[in-house]
Amino acid sequence: MPLWSDQVPARVPSDPLDGDTEADVVVVGAGLTGLWTAYYLLEADPSLDVLLVEAHEAGFGASGRNGGWCSALLPVSGDELAHRHGRDSARAMRAAMRDTVVEVGGVAAAEQIDCGFAFGGTVTLARNRPQLERVAEGVAADARWEDESHLLDAEAVAEHVRATDVIGGSYTPDCARIQPLQLVRGLLEVVLSRGARLVEGTRALRLSPRAVVTDHGIVRARWVVRATEAWSAQLPGYRRDVAPVYSHMVATEPLPPEVWAEIGLDRAQTFTDARNLIVYGQRTTDDRLAFGGRGAPYHLGSSIEPAYDQVRSAAVHLERALVDLFPVLEHAEVTHHWGGPLGVPRDWHPSVGLDVETGIAWAGGYVGDGVSLTNLAGRTLADLLTGADSELVRLPWVGHRSPAWEPEPVRWAGITAARRATAWADRTESRTGHPSRLSDLVNHVLGR
C-alpha cells in the first residue's frame, strides 16, 4: 500500500452508477485531472451538473501514488517546444508552468486543504562528470526560457542535501513538496460540497460522442472529458495513445533528528540526480524519506495489473540506490513499497483539448510530471468547455496530437530496449566518467 494511503483516514466509497443518467459534463477519471476540471468548471458556472465516473476510487491511479512533487517540470523541454510551436509559445508554456505551482498552493490555502504544501524547490545532484555536464546544460536552457535555476558547486549543494560523491548540482525554487492523496481528498470534498456528483466502482467501457458507456449504465452529456491518463490504453480507440510505464517508490520509517542532520532537506526540498534513469525523493511531513524511480518493466500489450504495483526487485533496486546516496540509512527500516503506471505518449508531449464536433475533451500524457499539469489541464478544460477566451486555451499543448505508439510486439521491444540501454548508459558513465552515447540514442529513438 502507498505510504500516502496510510496517512489519510479511510473513506466510504461512493455508490456505483445506478442505470442510465444525464449530466452537463461527464468526467471519466476521478484523479487530479478530473477533480481540477470539476473544481474550475463549478467555479466558472456553479449551475453545471458535473458527474465524475471512476472505475476504482478517487485518486486510485497516479494521483494518489506519485512522488509528491508539484513542480514546473514538463516532459518536453522549452527548446523542443520552441522547435515545434515557436519561441513565443514556448515562453508562454514555461511561464504557465511556473504560475501553476503557485496556483496549486493558492487553492490549497484558500480551500484549507492540508496537503503538506511546502515551497522548498528542487536540488539536482551531479555525482560524475557527465551528470555535471547535463546539469550545466539544463541551467543554461532554463535561462533561455526565464526559468530560475542556479548552478551549484558541491559545497552549495550540501546546504540543501548531503549525499555521497556529489561534485556539483543545481537548484530551482519552482517546486513544492505535497502529500498527493491529501490533495486528492481535499479537492474531492470541495467539489462534492459544490454540487459535483461522484460514482465509483464504475468502469467506462467506451467514450462516444456526447455519451459514456459504462458497466452500470450510459451517461449522456453535452461534454465528455477523458481524464484517464495511463488507463487510456485500456479504452477502445485510445489503446496506442499512451504507453503505461511503471514507476516505483519506497518510504523509510520516520527518521530521527540526528539522521536528518546528516541528510539535510530541512526546508522541504525535493531532490533528484542527473542520471539518465530518473530518481526522485522528498522529506515527508512525518519525517520519512520517500524515494522513487523509473526503470520497471513495460508489460506487453500495455497491460496494467495490481501485481505490477508490488515488484520486489524494484524495491530492492530503490533501497540500494537510496543507501548509495545516503549511507546513514543503511539500517533504517523501509516500511512501504508501491508502484503504478504513468502515461507516456509517443513523442513525450502532454496535451489537452476539445473536439467540439464529438463533445469529447481530453488531457494527459504527463510522463510523471502530472501534479502541476493536472491543475493546468483542469483550468484549460474549464475554459474550453465554457467558451472562455483565455490565454490558457492558446498554450501550445492545447490541441496537440501525439503520434500513435507502434503495434505490439514492436512497442514492447522498443520500450524494453530503451529502458535497458538507459540503465546501461548510467553504469557506463559512473564507471568511466565519460558521457554515454547510448543515452543520446535512446532519446532520439523515443522522440524526447
Side-chain angles (χ1 to χ4, degrees), residues 17-105:
L17 184 67
D18 184 16
D20 297 351
T21 191
E22 296 183 355
D24 294 318
V25 182
V26 56
V27 180
V28 181
L32 285 171
T33 298
L35 292 168
W36 282 123
T37 301
Y39 178 85
Y40 289 107
L41 279 172
L42 292 169
E43 184 177 74
D45 184 354
S47 69
L48 286 172
D49 180 15
V50 179
L51 174 64
L52 293 149
V53 175
E54 170 58 47
H56 300 280
E57 61 180 350
F60 173 82
S63 295
R65 308 186 207 181
N66 63 71
W69 287 35
C70 181
S71 79
L73 288 171
L74 265 176
V76 58
S77 69
D79 290 346
E80 183 62 22
L81 285 170
H83 175 72
R84 293 174 186 238
H85 307 287
R87 293 188 62 82
D88 289 345
S89 292
R91 190 172 289 108
M93 190 71 190
R94 291 303 316 143
M97 289 306 302
R98 296 191 298 270
D99 291 345
T100 296
V101 181
V102 178
E103 173 72 8
V104 173

Side-chain angles (χ1 to χ4, degrees), residues 184-396:
V184 168
R185 291 288 186 84
L187 274 177
L188 178 62
E189 183 177 338
V190 171
V191 299
L192 292 179
S193 72
R194 295 181 183 175
R197 294 183 287 152
L198 170 68
V199 292
E200 294 176 297
T202 303
R203 183 177 300 278
L205 304 177
R206 179 177 295 276
L207 275 57
S208 302
R210 319 288 175 187
V212 176
V213 180
T214 81
D215 56 353
H216 288 278
I218 298 174
V219 183
R220 303 190 185 279
R222 181 183 180 190
W223 304 118
V224 173
V225 177
R226 174 170 57 86
T228 47
E229 191 53 347
W231 276 263
S232 297
Q234 297 187 337
L235 285 169
Y238 304 100
R239 298 193 188 280
R240 290 166 57 192
D241 280 21
V242 295
V245 174
Y246 274 74
S247 191
H248 285 259
M249 294 195 71
V250 294
T252 69
E253 63 185 332
L255 302 173
E258 59 268 23
V259 172
W260 283 115
E262 292 195 39
I263 294 174
L265 302 177
D266 55 348
R267 299 191 300 278
Q269 300 96 322
T270 58
F271 72 92
T272 183
D273 68 19
R275 71 185 75 188
N276 294 290
L277 204 59
I278 294 171
V279 295
Y280 47 91
Q282 65 145 289
R283 180 176 179 172
T284 67
T285 55
D286 61 349
D287 282 336
R288 301 170 188 263
L289 204 156
F291 182 72
R294 313 273 173 86
Y298 165 79
H299 301 279
L300 187 69
S302 293
S303 176
I304 299 174
E305 297 290 344
Y308 305 156
D309 298 344
Q310 295 286 334
V311 179
R312 182 56 192 161
S313 60
V316 169
H317 171 76
L318 288 173
E319 290 170 26
R320 288 173 178 167
L322 187 57
V323 172
D324 179 55
L325 284 164
F326 307 111
V328 68
L329 298 179
E330 182 177 6
H331 300 296
E333 181 184 359
V334 172
T335 57
H336 294 77
H337 163 228
W338 69 97
L342 49 91
V344 181
R346 183 62 180 85
D347 58 358
W348 286 58
H349 195 308
S351 64
V352 60
L354 169 64
D355 183 334
V356 176
E357 294 299 317
T358 64
I360 298 176
W362 76 92
Y366 305 134
V367 198
D369 295 325
V371 172
S372 297
L373 274 170
T374 57
N375 175 275
L376 184 58
R379 285 185 283 145
T380 305
L381 286 169
D383 285 352
L384 289 170
L385 297 179
T386 59
D389 183 20
S390 70
E391 293 297 323
L392 296 181
V393 302
R394 289 185 284 276
L395 289 173

Side-chain angles (χ1 to χ4, degrees), residues 150-214:
H150 307 276
L151 193 63
L152 307 177
D153 60 19
E155 185 176 342
V157 171
E159 295 179 8
H160 295 280
V161 60
R162 292 171 284 282
T164 59
D165 302 325
V166 172
I167 61 174
S170 67
Y171 174 78
T172 174
D174 292 319
C175 183
R177 182 276 316 274
I178 65 164
Q179 208 283 22
L181 192 56
Q182 287 178 337
L183 178 59
V184 168
R185 291 288 186 84
L187 274 177
L188 178 62
E189 183 177 338
V190 171
V191 299
L192 292 179
S193 72
R194 295 181 183 175
R197 294 183 287 152
L198 170 68
V199 292
E200 294 176 297
T202 303
R203 183 177 300 278
L205 304 177
R206 179 177 295 276
L207 275 57
S208 302
R210 319 288 175 187
V212 176
V213 180
T214 81

